[in-house]
Amino acid sequence: MSLSDFDTNDAILSPLAFTASTQLPDPAQLRIYDSTLRDGEQMPGVAMSPKQKYRIAEELSQIGCHIIDVGFPAVSTTERQALQLILDGKLRGAIRPELEILVMSRSLPSDIDATIDAIQEIGFTAREITLLIFTSASPLHVRQKLGATLLRQCGIPANEAQTIPFSVLHEANKAMVTEAIRYALDRGVEKVEFGSEDASRTPIPLLLDLIQAAVDAGAARYIFPDTTGSLTPEATRVYAQALSAKFPRIELASHFHNDFSLATANVITGILHGLTTFSTTVNGIGERAGNAPLHSVVASLKYLYGLEIPGFQYDRLCHLKHVVEDISGIPVQAHEPVIGYNAFAHESGIHTHGVSINRRMYEPIPYEEVGGTPRFVYGKHSGLHCVSKLLAERGHEIDVEPCSQLSARVLEEIKATREKTAATGDSAFAVRKYYANLERLGISEEQVLEIAKSLSEVKAIAASAGEAHGSSK
């Protein structure tokens, strides 16, 4: 391509110029599988009430998610209440009828019974949910976490877990999964999803063999988890291609954690190689470093790959951010892509001047399309143009006649004021307050010990009272 081939009327070279020749899936095939209510709530310190979970479910429905994972209804009354509110909302039409509701269970008939019984207790049937049945996949997890359970099923003493050949444990794991899936289908579940923890650190032949057993038993979807966020895009491609080649007729999903800040890139790599259903969480909340963030994934797909998901309301992303921040207590970092407080904010004189001419100078995403708020910040790096523009537009509100001399003096005062406040140490105080708030979200070890002490004292008092009552007879 020569210089004469460029049309000088083109304002920018679009990122789509580099992905246009990529073999992309049909956007209609993309399905958002949200895990905010389950994996998101597992973020340390986060707890959601049933009503709060329902509020988020309504928002996820409205924005256009396709699947929501609501966790384990068998574990507590509040989890069952949340599921009941969500299923009731679906019946009323407050939640889209096509939104798939997913609940989870370990690969044990007793867990499946507890899950289905819990669903029936709130007036619904197993046909109205998708059941995710999961186990572990990697040798590390299978041997050290599941080993005793699997050996017990084989009639082998648990103390042999570390010496028994892994092939024995692997076959026992397959048998457990097969039995569980068939049992769930026999109990009335119409759609079973299979998941295997730590799949991204499992040798591919072992993983494919385990999934094959689940598919043969009746699993209709497989979700591939990067439990520790250890995948690179290169590794994601290898796994995704292997899964797509082996299982071309079942739905394949990804579930990626963000320990190396690669979850968004890995989700997109997975999509390009067959994992067209993808798990995310609102604001990226989740265990440790969180999960693939919904906003980053959908915005990257739209603006960098031209994959706009039909029916998805991109302009509600910032609104959804605020809803989940308020409920979770976890604020999004100021410089978070797409939805961060500073995503469409500018202070530097060069930048404020540029976006005053055309926002595309420094903003690759139109703020209004994601519900963002544009603003200028005045401080040490501000420029004269920004101050002059403000005084020209709003000087009449304070009975000021703008002029170049006034603008220059105002700019000097802005810079001096900001440098003074920088020296006060207020920033350090704000940071300490932020971390103190995070500490208060959870219950500390000291508080746990205090709870144990108080309960122990109550028990001792009750025992003493019982002894006194007995001696008085």
Side-chain angles (χ1 to χ4, degrees):
M1 182 179 288
S2 66
L3 291 176
S4 61
D5 293 322
F6 289 100
D7 182 351
T8 54
N9 291 323
D10 289 340
I12 58 171
L13 177 62
S14 168
L16 298 177
F18 300 97
T19 56
S21 59
T22 304
Q23 187 173 354
L24 301 173
D26 181 345
Q29 295 177 329
L30 302 181
R31 303 186 74 212
I32 302 169
Y33 179 146
D34 187 87
S35 193
T36 304
L37 301 183
R38 197 266 304 172
D39 221 341
E41 194 191 22
Q42 290 175 197
M43 185 169 191
V46 175
M48 302 175 188
S49 72
K51 287 185 178 179
Q52 289 171 331
K53 285 195 171 187
Y54 176 73
R55 169 75 194 286
I56 293 173
E58 273 197 330
E59 293 287 348
L60 294 172
S61 172
Q62 186 166 354
I63 203 170
C65 292
H66 303 87
I67 306 162
I68 58 171
D69 172 4
V70 299
F72 302 87
V75 301
S76 70
T77 300
T78 57
E79 291 298 277
R80 290 192 289 277
Q81 289 171 345
L83 178 60
Q84 182 172 22
L85 289 173
I86 292 167
L87 291 175
D88 281 340
K90 199 172 178 184
L91 279 179
R92 296 195 321 271
I95 289 175
R96 300 191 337 268
E98 70 274 16
L99 181 64
E100 184 179 341
I101 309 300
L102 179 140
V103 300
M104 298 182 70
S105 171
R106 292 180 299 175
S107 297
L108 298 171
S110 58
D111 271 30
I112 294 166
D113 282 336
T115 300
I116 294 175
D117 291 347
I119 293 167
Q120 291 174 342
E121 284 174 13
I122 60 175
F124 294 91
T125 71
R127 293 190 301 274
E128 291 161 287
I129 54 91
T130 295
L131 182 62
L132 167 54
I133 292 176
F134 68 95
T135 187
S136 292
S138 70
L140 172 66
H141 275 232
V142 171
R143 186 178 292 280
Q144 297 192 19
K145 188 168 76 170
L146 296 183
T149 298
L150 296 175
L151 289 177
R152 190 163 53 247
Q153 291 180 349
C154 298
I156 300 173
N159 59 10
E160 297 184 22
Q162 298 304 315
T163 58
I164 202 78
F166 180 76
S167 59
V168 174
L169 298 174
H170 178 69
E171 291 301 319
N173 198 19
K174 286 166 53 180
M176 181 176 70
V177 165
T178 298
E179 178 186 351
I181 292 173
R182 288 174 178 163
Y183 184 76
L185 294 171
D186 287 342
R187 283 222 53 188
V189 175
E190 292 188 347
K191 184 173 183 178
V192 171
E193 172 181 307
F194 173 61
S196 52
E197 270 196 303
D198 212 24
S200 62
R201 296 191 297 178
T202 303
I204 290 176
L206 280 177
L207 181 62
L208 298 181
D209 190 49
L210 180 62
I211 300 168
Q212 185 67 65
V215 171
D216 290 344
R221 179 166 64 220
Y222 171 65
I223 185 163
F224 170 61
D226 182 18
T227 304
T228 59
S230 300
L231 285 173
T232 61
E234 293 80 7
T236 301
R237 174 180 55 79
V238 172
Y239 273 100
Q241 287 177 337
L243 290 168
S244 298
K246 180 70 173 179
F247 305 107
R249 288 183 291 277
I250 69 165
E251 186 180 357
L252 297 172
S254 66
H255 178 85
F256 294 156
H257 284 258
N258 203 32
D259 294 73
F260 290 93
S261 199
L262 288 172
T264 295
N266 289 334
V267 168
I268 293 171
T269 301
I271 287 170
L272 298 181
H273 294 94
L275 308 186
T276 52
T277 297
F278 54 92
S279 173
T280 60
T281 60
V282 178
N283 300 348
I285 64 173
E287 298 178 77
R288 302 184 314 279
N291 293 45
L294 172 66
H295 57 273
S296 289
V297 173
V298 297
S300 297
L301 289 172
K302 178 178 178 179
Y303 295 106
L304 302 181
Y305 290 84
L307 293 174
E308 184 169 351
I309 299 169
F312 188 81
Q313 297 188 28
Y314 294 84
D315 61 350
R316 293 187 66 83
L317 283 169
C318 286
H319 167 74
L320 181 59
K321 172 197 76 167
H322 291 302
V323 171
V324 173
E325 280 183 325
D326 289 347
I327 289 174
S328 68
I330 304 295
V332 167
Q333 62 182 351
H335 54 288
E336 181 69 22
V338 186
I339 61 171
Y341 184 65
N342 286 341
F344 303 101
H346 305 273
E347 178 181 332
S348 160
I350 293 173
H351 283 236
T352 55
H353 190 192
V355 295
S356 295
I357 300 169
N358 186 329
R359 298 204 74 89
R360 289 199 302 168
M361 291 270 192
Y362 293 106
E363 292 179 3
I365 299 171
Y367 68 86
E368 67 278 8
E369 292 187 9
V370 295
T373 302
R375 62 191 180 90
F376 288 152
V377 177
Y378 298 88
K380 179 180 178 180
H381 306 288
S382 293
L384 187 62
H385 178 271
C386 186
V387 174
S388 299
K389 187 172 185 294
L390 176 64
L391 294 180
E393 292 175 351
R394 300 188 59 188
H396 66 278
E397 297 177 16
I398 53 172
D399 296 324
V400 164
E401 187 69 30
C403 65
S404 59
Q405 292 86 352
L406 177 62
S407 295
R409 290 179 60 193
V410 169
L411 180 60
E412 288 178 7
E413 187 64 24
I414 288 170
K415 292 176 180 290
T417 300
R418 184 63 187 96
E419 289 181 348
K420 287 177 185 176
T421 58
T424 64
D426 287 348
S427 296
F429 172 77
V431 170
R432 287 194 296 270
K433 186 175 180 181
Y434 169 79
Y435 283 110
N437 286 332
L438 289 182
E439 286 285 341
R440 282 195 289 270
L441 286 178
I443 296 174
S444 68
E445 290 183 0
E446 287 71 22
Q447 289 173 304
V448 173
L449 293 173
E450 284 297 320
I451 291 170
K453 181 180 178 182
S454 63
L455 291 176
S456 179
E457 290 172 350
V458 169
K459 183 178 178 181
I461 292 170
S464 297
E467 290 173 3
H469 178 70
S471 63
S472 66
K473 287 184 178 179

